[in-house]
């Protein structure tokens, strides 16, 4: 995607977990912001869910470097002593995955917290570079970012340029107004005559456009709309200008809970695997192809799985249903043609 592009208009900016450091070599050239993040709150401890404004349960986890895993790192990363992490959550954040916390300055979110945990296992200092979704991949391509933890779906098309270490199931969802009786029901034909918004450059866009093409061959119409800001998207949904929003399930589920007792209440009208009909989609840490990072990243994630920190991280962020049994390097992903 993302991931993944549900955004919250009132959330802006970025700082580190405990300190701010503006980097001259950040993603400024492509519209990004950069900050240094600390690996621990106190020696050997990382607190996930901090300042999450109710999106998570604050949980302190003990994590330390595992030499047998950090030894797998490429020499240039090992020598730098830091892991530069891409977060494609500008301009307004994508709760619960990555957003500015309740202090209005600290970056929080489930993806950011996992990146901090993985960095600790690798013995590296996490340094977050925040950009728009489109510029996230420019950062990877240019080498300004080592790895993206940003709800990126493993796809066969992306494997042409990137390598992956999976860490979470990828489920997509349709969000509609609460009083809208429409449901997806795992049938693309139910989209006929509808107007649906989706994030540009995401794998959910790829799926939606494929359904649109199928419907056109059947003489039916599906209108696809794009919005840069979440407030514009939800204004369109609430006013009836669009029928549904198709995006990452965690983001949409979070939004439905936040609006449940308001006049703008929404609901989930169906879910779908991010890898299509025949394959469970996977979210993965994403690095440049042949960077040598996928193997140590997967090993670090598997260490967290085996020692229980992974399950506690998911539970803290109410994402336990998206757990995977193990992290895999370059597992099968969304096919080039999802037909």
């Amino acid at each position: 995607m993302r991931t993944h592009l549900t955004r919250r208009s009132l959330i802006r900016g970025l700082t580190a977990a405990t300190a701010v450091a503006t980097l001259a070599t950040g993603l400024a050239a492509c519209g990004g912001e950069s900050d240094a993040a600390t690996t621990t709150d106190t020696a050997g401890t990382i607190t996930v869910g901090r300042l999450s404004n109710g999106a998570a349960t604050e949980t302190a986890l003990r994590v330390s470097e595992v030499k047998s895993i950090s030894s797998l790192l490429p020499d240039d990363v090992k020598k730098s002593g830091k892991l530069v992490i891409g977060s494609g959550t500008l301009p307004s954040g994508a709760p619960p995955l990555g957003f500015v916390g309740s202090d209005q300055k600290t970056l929080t979110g489930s993806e950011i917290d996992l990146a901090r945990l993985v960095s600790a296992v690798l013995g590296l200092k996490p340094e977050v570079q925040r950009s728009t979704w489109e510029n996230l991949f420019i950062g990877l391509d240019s080498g300004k970012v080592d790895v993206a933890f940003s709800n990126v779906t493993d796809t066969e098309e992306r494997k042409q340029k990137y390598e992956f270490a999976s860490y979470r199931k990828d489920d997509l969802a349709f969000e509609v107004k609460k009083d809208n009786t429409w449901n997806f029901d795992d049938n693309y034909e139910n989209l006929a005559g509808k107007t649906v918004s989706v994030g540009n450059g995401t794998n959910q866009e790829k799926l939606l456009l494929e359904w649109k093409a199928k419907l056109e061959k059947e003489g039916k119409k599906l209108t696809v709309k794009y919005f840069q800001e979440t407030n514009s998207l939800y204004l369109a949904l609430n006013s009836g200008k669009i029928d549904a929003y198709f995006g990452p399930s965690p983001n949409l589920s979070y939004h439905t809970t936040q609006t449940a007792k308001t006049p703008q209440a929404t609901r989930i009208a169906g879910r779908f695997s991010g890898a299509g009909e025949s394959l469970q989609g996977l979210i993965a840490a994403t690095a440049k192809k042949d960077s040598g990072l996928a193997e140590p990243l997967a090993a670090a994630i598997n260490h967290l799985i085996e020692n229980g920190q992974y399950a506690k991280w998911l539970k803290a962020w109410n994402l336990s249903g998206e757990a995977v049994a193990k992290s895999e390097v370059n597992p099968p992903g969304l096919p080039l043609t999802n037909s």
Side-chain angles (χ1 to χ4, degrees), residues 6 38 69 77 106 112 125 137 144 153 165 200 218 223 234 269 292 317 332 338:
T6 298
T38 57
I69 297 177
V77 176
T106 301
I112 303 304
K125 180 180 180 180
F137 296 95
K144 291 181 179 178
T153 301
N200 185 38
E218 299 171 9
T223 302
Y234 284 115
W317 283 100
N338 184 48

Side-chain angles (χ1 to χ4, degrees), residues 22-278:
T22 301
L23 304 178
T25 59
L27 294 182
C30 54
E33 299 178 1
S34 57
D35 295 280
T38 57
T39 55
T40 58
D41 305 303
T42 58
T45 300
I46 291 177
T47 301
V48 301
R50 291 183 64 190
L51 304 167
S52 66
N53 200 26
T57 301
E58 192 170 305
T59 306
L61 302 176
R62 296 285 295 175
V63 188
S64 57
E65 180 181 0
V66 179
K67 296 288 188 180
S68 61
I69 297 177
S70 60
S71 67
L72 302 174
L73 287 165
D75 288 340
D76 57 340
V77 176
K78 196 183 304 182
K79 288 178 182 177
S80 74
K82 64 183 180 182
L83 188 66
V84 184
I85 298 153
S87 174
T89 53
L90 284 178
S92 307
L97 305 174
F99 60 103
V100 175
S102 54
D103 65 351
Q104 300 302 308
K105 62 180 183 177
T106 301
L107 186 66
T108 186
S110 60
E111 304 288 83
I112 303 304
D113 281 346
L114 180 61
R116 295 168 64 216
L117 292 167
V118 167
S119 297
V121 175
L122 295 174
L124 299 173
K125 180 180 180 180
E127 185 177 283
V128 178
Q129 299 225 357
R130 198 169 180 230
S131 68
T132 63
W133 173 256
E134 295 84 358
N135 286 332
L136 174 68
F137 296 95
I138 294 175
L140 287 169
D141 296 343
S142 67
K144 291 181 179 178
V145 168
D146 295 321
V147 57
F149 278 85
S150 195
N151 204 57
V152 180
T153 301
D154 166 28
T155 75
E156 295 307 310
E157 181 178 8
R158 287 173 179 161
K159 279 180 188 168
Q160 296 174 8
K161 295 179 66 176
Y162 309 105
E163 59 187 37
F164 297 98
S166 58
Y167 59 83
R168 186 165 53 77
K169 291 180 182 178
D170 174 35
D171 288 322
L172 305 172
F174 287 91
E175 185 178 8
V176 300
K177 290 177 65 177
K178 189 174 182 179
D179 58 3
N180 185 339
T181 60
W182 177 85
N183 287 292
F184 178 61
D185 290 333
D186 292 322
N187 185 355
Y188 76 91
E189 292 190 346
N190 287 336
L191 292 166
K194 301 300 180 184
T195 299
V196 181
S197 176
V198 72
N200 185 38
T202 61
N203 77 300
Q204 55 264 30
E205 180 196 30
K206 175 180 169 63
L207 289 167
L208 194 64
L209 293 180
E210 287 175 353
W211 289 329
K212 175 181 166 74
K214 287 183 178 182
L215 288 169
E216 287 176 349
K217 289 180 180 179
E218 299 171 9
K220 302 171 185 176
K221 184 178 181 180
L222 165 62
T223 302
V224 178
K225 295 256 185 185
Y226 299 92
F227 296 91
Q228 291 297 315
E229 292 277 350
T230 302
N231 61 334
S232 299
L233 187 159
Y234 284 115
L235 281 172
L237 183 65
N238 291 324
S239 66
K241 291 182 179 179
I242 61 173
D243 298 299
Y245 172 48
F246 187 41
S249 182
N251 302 101
L252 275 59
S253 296
Y254 173 84
H255 184 258
T256 61
T257 62
Q258 296 299 300
T259 62
K261 296 180 180 179
T262 73
Q264 292 78 40
T266 59
R267 67 177 183 87
I268 300 299
R271 287 184 168 85
F272 195 77
S273 168
E277 296 179 6
S278 60

